[in-house]
Amino acid sequence: MLEIKQVTKKFGDFIAVDHMSLSVAEGEIFGFLGANGAGKSTTINMIAGLLRPNAGEITILGKDITRHRQFAKRQIGIVPQEIAIYENLTAYENVEFFAGLYGLRGAELRQRVEEALEFVGLSDKRKRYPKHFSGGMKRRLNIACAIAHRPKLIIMDEPTVGIDPQSRNDILAAVKKLNDMGCTMIYTSHYMEEVEEICTRIAIIDHGKIIAEGTKEQLEAMITDTKDIWIEIRGMDQLNKQHLQDIPGVKAVQCEENIIKISSDINVNHLNQIVQCLINDGVEIRSLEDQSPNLETVFLTLTGRNLRDS
Amino acid sequence: MNIVRIAVKEIKSDFRDARTLFFMLLFPIVLMFILGTALSHAFQWTVSIGEVRVFYKDQTAGQLSASIHALAQEAKKAHINFQKVPDDMNGKQAVQDGKADGYVEIGLHGVELYTNEHNKVKGAIVQGVMGAFVGQYQLAMAVSQGQPGSFQPNRNPHEEYIQERSLRSKRKPGAMDYYAVAMTTMIALYSALPGSSLLRGERTRKTADRLLAAPVRKSEIFIGKLAGNIVANFLCVAVVILFSKLVFHAYWGRHFSLVYLLLLTEVVLAISFGLGMSYLARTEGAARTIAMVIIQLASFFGGAYFPIDETKWFAHLSPLSWMNETIFKMVYANDVSSVVPTMFLNVGLAALFLLIAVASVARREGL
Ligand SMILES: Nc1ncnc2c1ncn2[C@@H]1O[C@H](COP(=O)(O)OP(=O)(O)OP(=O)(O)O)[C@@H](O)[C@H]1O
Ligand SMILES: [Mg+2]
């Protein structure tokens, strides 16, 4: 379906995407996982033809997107990271306008617009203006605008940012449903759980490069030597992170409010040492949890960073 | 087809935008009403333009001399003062110095007219009167704009005496007539504001990405948006003209379609200016501010709020000056000679600004 070969994108001297290669097969839900500024949106915008790569080649259904621009654009539906709709047009008019740009006309256009609105659950709001919409409703309209022309490849760039859990579940369900209907999906997110839940394959992107790629199981297998220990404490300010890091077998330490997250070697038992260290520092342990590896640990291990630093 | 789609969307959303409706419709109509009625007494139109002073020297006797005398009598009713001056007086200099709006020399060889080129409206009126007069008598006339010698043969000998040239017209531009024109040309200039966010707005709204991801060419987006905005803003201008005509009974003269055409070119100029600014300025806010400041200055010096002394040099820098002047000449002196040059000026400047925009759009990856 989609093939990216050695693609590079520079903004001035800054290399946002660095010799990236990947391929997405038909019927997949392909996940892009990466921290802020990793280069996810830049990659997606090149696929959608919004940015021109400085080097490399992108093909869709075997056709080069720069040489077959119009063809490529027709195959793609893009849900931009930021909501891109017109406030002065109703929900219906927004979808109608964008679908119209893909050459849909008359009764067919009307039917597709209705379908798309129905699909995202905005049928009853079709005559309303988006300025009266909640964040979740705008996000859903943002999706409707991208699917009415029935693209073969739908790219969603963080479609669940800043919305309530209900809308988020609706959107995840919609992604799966679109996939069941035969659409190939590319899905980017900060949220590990989302990617874990819906993606058939995942690429972890960091500094414009793919540092790991595979199914969830494959990725987790790459780091079976790592596990997570979560400790809820009181008195974070008394903690000296370095003391924990000095304990043999500890790979990384993350502190967030009152939670300490320790990635450690699965083969070393150092729970006693960790607890002792915390007591020495004078912090109060409230709970402790020993977790087996998941994508979050994969990410942390591979990039040395938390997915949601920011 | 995509162009039409984009243009229609543009018109639709423009007319739903409270800001557009306020600036382009309500604002000019209210101002027209306030200025046109409140200033109707204070308005010194009849003094500043209605009273035209013409010096003349008559070196002939008989038929022509008598006619000139009759003309002078006739013209007085229309506030045009023909004043015979002594032979030794330098009439041309008097015109140059602004002591008179026209100087006529009647000699055996014919009639020569001098007007001051800085005083186009009055000059046009004097020209009109003399043209008609000479036409009546089937004489050749040398019309000169401060430099004598250019010779213009009379084209229509059957032109009706004076009346045809609106001299006898009962119409005198009142405050409302003045502000109807001035406000209309002013709001046409306000089209620069939507122009300044025409493409930039799509970028800040992120809809530019959607447009560019669709199988649509950049040129289609550009032309569609431009065309849509021109139509939307021109419709507002047309509504304001009609409103002033039907409700305020402002006088728009007989060349109604020319007035519209002229204003269309002004809308094109204003939008192109705003668009050009949006690519020259760093931010959308800056572009808007620059456009706003220039609109305000142009309005002020172009006579939107009160008539500006035409002899001042700065009065000619504003597009409103040349627009208003052209329209007043057309409406009150029946003189359409500067319509085409004004249209060319508007369109030419517009092309310049569009060139800036097109060059910038072509260079960048987005809009
Ligand atoms: N137009 C641009 N000009 C200059 N730098 C840019 C531009 N667009 C993106 N960048 C930079 O390229 C890098 C990658 O950005 P990108 O938007 O692709 O990240 P991302 O993975 O989508 O991050 P996020 O999760 O925050 O959306 C960032 O460091 C960003 O600052
Ligand atoms: Mg992004």
Side-chain angles (χ1 to χ4, degrees), chain A residues 130-165:
Chain A
K131 56 182 158 243
H132 306 300
F133 282 8
S134 69
M137 284 156 77
K138 283 186 188 174
R139 285 270 165 208
R140 284 187 275 153
L141 180 57
N142 203 31
I143 293 175
C145 289
I147 60 173
H149 62 284
R150 292 195 186 155
K152 293 205 175 73
L153 174 65
I154 299 175
I155 307 174
M156 295 193 179
D157 197 354
E158 302 188 34
T160 55
V161 166
I163 60 172
D164 60 286

Coordinates of all heavy atoms in Angstrom, one line a residue, chain A residues 130-165:
Chain A
P130 N -19.6 24.5 13.9 CA -18.6 23.9 14.8 C -18.3 24.8 15.9 O -17.7 24.3 16.9 CB -17.4 23.7 13.9 CG -17.9 23.8 12.5 CD -19.2 24.6 12.5
K131 N -18.5 26.1 15.9 CA -18.1 26.9 17.0 C -18.9 26.6 18.3 O -18.5 26.9 19.4 CB -18.2 28.4 16.7 CG -19.5 28.9 16.2 CD -19.4 30.4 15.9 CE -20.5 30.9 14.9 NZ -20.1 31.4 13.6
H132 N -20.1 25.9 18.1 CA -20.8 25.5 19.2 C -20.5 24.0 19.6 O -21.1 23.5 20.5 CB -22.3 25.5 18.9 CG -22.8 26.9 18.4 ND1 -22.6 28.0 19.2 CD2 -23.3 27.3 17.3 CE1 -23.1 29.0 18.5 NE2 -23.5 28.6 17.3
F133 N -19.5 23.5 19.0 CA -19.1 22.1 19.3 C -18.2 21.9 20.4 O -17.3 22.8 20.7 CB -18.5 21.4 18.0 CG -19.5 21.0 17.0 CD1 -20.8 21.4 17.1 CD2 -19.1 20.3 15.9 CE1 -21.7 21.1 16.1 CE2 -20.0 19.9 14.9 CZ -21.3 20.3 15.0
S134 N -18.2 20.8 21.1 CA -17.2 20.5 22.1 C -15.9 20.0 21.4 O -16.0 19.7 20.2 CB -17.7 19.3 23.0 OG -17.8 18.1 22.3
G135 N -14.8 19.9 22.1 CA -13.6 19.5 21.5 C -13.7 18.1 20.9 O -13.2 17.9 19.8
G136 N -14.4 17.2 21.5 CA -14.6 15.9 21.0 C -15.4 15.9 19.7 O -15.1 15.2 18.7
M137 N -16.4 16.7 19.7 CA -17.3 16.8 18.4 C -16.5 17.4 17.3 O -16.6 17.0 16.1 CB -18.5 17.7 18.7 CG -19.6 16.9 19.5 SD -20.6 18.0 20.4 CE -21.7 18.6 19.1
K138 N -15.6 18.4 17.6 CA -14.8 19.0 16.5 C -13.8 17.9 16.0 O -13.6 17.8 14.8 CB -14.0 20.1 17.1 CG -14.8 21.4 17.2 CD -13.9 22.6 17.7 CE -14.7 23.8 18.0 NZ -13.9 24.9 18.5
R139 N -13.2 17.1 16.9 CA -12.3 16.1 16.5 C -13.0 15.1 15.6 O -12.5 14.6 14.6 CB -11.8 15.3 17.7 CG -10.8 16.1 18.5 CD -9.4 15.8 18.0 NE -8.4 16.7 18.4 CZ -7.3 17.1 17.8 NH1 -7.0 16.5 16.6 NH2 -6.5 18.0 18.3
R140 N -14.3 14.8 15.9 CA -15.0 13.8 15.1 C -15.4 14.4 13.7 O -15.3 13.7 12.7 CB -16.3 13.4 15.8 CG -16.0 12.4 16.9 CD -17.2 11.8 17.6 NE -17.7 12.7 18.6 CZ -19.0 12.7 19.0 NH1 -19.9 12.0 18.4 NH2 -19.4 13.5 20.0
L141 N -15.7 15.7 13.7 CA -16.0 16.4 12.4 C -14.7 16.4 11.6 O -14.7 16.2 10.4 CB -16.5 17.8 12.7 CG -16.8 18.6 11.4 CD1 -17.8 17.9 10.5 CD2 -17.3 20.0 11.8
N142 N -13.6 16.6 12.3 CA -12.3 16.6 11.6 C -12.0 15.3 10.9 O -11.5 15.2 9.8 CB -11.2 16.8 12.7 CG -9.9 17.4 12.2 OD1 -9.9 18.1 11.2 ND2 -8.8 17.0 12.8
I143 N -12.5 14.2 11.5 CA -12.4 12.9 10.9 C -13.4 12.7 9.7 O -13.0 12.3 8.6 CB -12.6 11.8 11.9 CG1 -11.5 11.8 13.0 CG2 -12.7 10.4 11.3 CD1 -11.7 10.8 14.1
A144 N -14.6 13.2 10.0 CA -15.6 13.1 8.9 C -15.1 13.7 7.6 O -15.3 13.2 6.5 CB -16.9 13.7 9.4
C145 N -14.5 14.9 7.7 CA -14.0 15.6 6.6 C -12.9 14.8 5.8 O -12.7 15.1 4.6 CB -13.4 17.0 7.0 SG -14.6 18.2 7.6
A146 N -12.3 13.9 6.5 CA -11.2 13.1 5.8 C -11.7 11.8 5.2 O -10.9 11.2 4.4 CB -10.1 12.9 6.8
I147 N -12.9 11.4 5.5 CA -13.3 10.0 5.0 C -14.4 10.0 4.0 O -14.7 8.9 3.4 CB -13.7 9.1 6.2 CG1 -14.9 9.7 7.0 CG2 -12.5 9.0 7.2 CD1 -15.4 8.8 8.1
A148 N -15.1 11.1 3.8 CA -16.3 11.1 3.0 C -15.9 10.7 1.5 O -16.8 10.1 0.9 CB -16.9 12.5 2.9
H149 N -14.7 10.9 1.1 CA -14.4 10.5 -0.3 C -13.9 9.1 -0.4 O -13.4 8.6 -1.4 CB -13.4 11.5 -0.9 CG -12.1 11.5 -0.2 ND1 -11.9 12.2 1.0 CD2 -10.9 11.0 -0.4 CE1 -10.7 12.1 1.5 NE2 -10.0 11.4 0.6
R150 N -14.1 8.3 0.7 CA -13.7 6.9 0.8 C -12.2 6.7 0.4 O -12.0 5.9 -0.6 CB -14.6 6.1 0.0 CG -16.0 6.0 0.5 CD -16.8 4.9 -0.1 NE -18.2 5.0 0.4 CZ -19.2 4.5 -0.3 NH1 -19.0 3.9 -1.5 NH2 -20.4 4.5 0.2
P151 N -11.3 7.2 1.1 CA -9.9 7.0 0.7 C -9.5 5.5 1.1 O -10.1 4.9 2.0 CB -9.1 8.0 1.6 CG -10.1 8.2 2.8 CD -11.5 8.1 2.3
K152 N -8.5 5.0 0.4 CA -8.0 3.7 0.7 C -7.1 3.7 1.9 O -6.9 2.8 2.6 CB -7.2 3.1 -0.5 CG -8.1 2.9 -1.7 CD -7.5 1.8 -2.6 CE -8.4 1.4 -3.7 NZ -8.5 2.5 -4.8
L153 N -6.4 4.9 2.0 CA -5.4 5.0 3.1 C -5.8 6.2 4.0 O -5.9 7.3 3.5 CB -4.0 5.2 2.6 CG -2.9 5.6 3.6 CD1 -2.6 4.4 4.5 CD2 -1.6 5.9 2.9
I154 N -6.1 5.9 5.3 CA -6.5 7.0 6.1 C -5.4 7.3 7.2 O -5.0 6.3 7.8 CB -7.8 6.7 6.9 CG1 -9.0 6.5 5.8 CG2 -8.2 7.9 7.8 CD1 -10.3 6.1 6.4
I155 N -5.0 8.5 7.2 CA -3.9 8.8 8.1 C -4.4 9.7 9.2 O -5.0 10.8 9.0 CB -2.7 9.6 7.4 CG1 -2.3 8.8 6.2 CG2 -1.6 9.8 8.3 CD1 -1.3 9.6 5.3
M156 N -4.3 9.3 10.4 CA -4.8 10.1 11.6 C -3.6 10.6 12.4 O -2.9 9.7 13.0 CB -5.7 9.3 12.4 CG -7.0 8.9 11.7 SD -8.2 8.3 12.8 CE -9.6 8.0 11.7
D157 N -3.4 11.9 12.5 CA -2.3 12.4 13.3 C -2.9 12.8 14.7 O -3.5 13.9 14.8 CB -1.7 13.6 12.6 CG -0.4 13.9 13.1 OD1 0.1 13.3 14.1 OD2 0.3 14.8 12.5
E158 N -2.6 12.0 15.7 CA -3.1 12.3 17.0 C -4.5 12.8 17.1 O -4.8 13.9 17.5 CB -2.1 13.3 17.7 CG -0.7 12.8 17.7 CD 0.2 13.7 18.5 OE1 -0.2 14.2 19.5 OE2 1.4 13.7 18.2
P159 N -5.4 11.9 16.7 CA -6.9 12.4 16.6 C -7.5 12.4 18.0 O -8.7 12.9 18.1 CB -7.5 11.3 15.7 CG -6.7 10.1 16.0 CD -5.3 10.5 16.3
T160 N -6.9 12.0 19.0 CA -7.5 11.9 20.3 C -7.0 12.9 21.3 O -7.3 12.8 22.5 CB -7.4 10.5 20.9 OG1 -6.0 10.2 21.0 CG2 -8.2 9.5 20.1
V161 N -6.2 13.9 20.8 CA -5.6 14.9 21.8 C -6.7 15.7 22.4 O -7.6 16.3 21.7 CB -4.6 15.7 21.1 CG1 -4.2 16.9 21.9 CG2 -3.3 14.9 20.8
G162 N -6.7 15.9 23.7 CA -7.5 16.8 24.4 C -9.0 16.5 24.3 O -9.8 17.5 24.2
I163 N -9.4 15.3 24.4 CA -10.9 15.0 24.4 C -11.2 14.1 25.5 O -10.4 13.4 26.1 CB -11.4 14.5 23.0 CG1 -10.7 13.2 22.7 CG2 -11.1 15.5 21.9 CD1 -11.3 12.5 21.5
D164 N -12.5 14.0 25.8 CA -13.0 13.2 26.9 C -12.9 11.7 26.6 O -12.9 11.3 25.4 CB -14.5 13.6 27.2 CG -15.4 13.4 26.0 OD1 -15.3 14.2 25.1 OD2 -16.1 12.4 26.1
P165 N -12.9 10.9 27.6 CA -12.7 9.4 27.4 C -13.7 8.8 26.5 O -13.4 7.9 25.7 CB -12.8 8.8 28.8 CG -12.5 10.0 29.7 CD -13.0 11.2 29.0

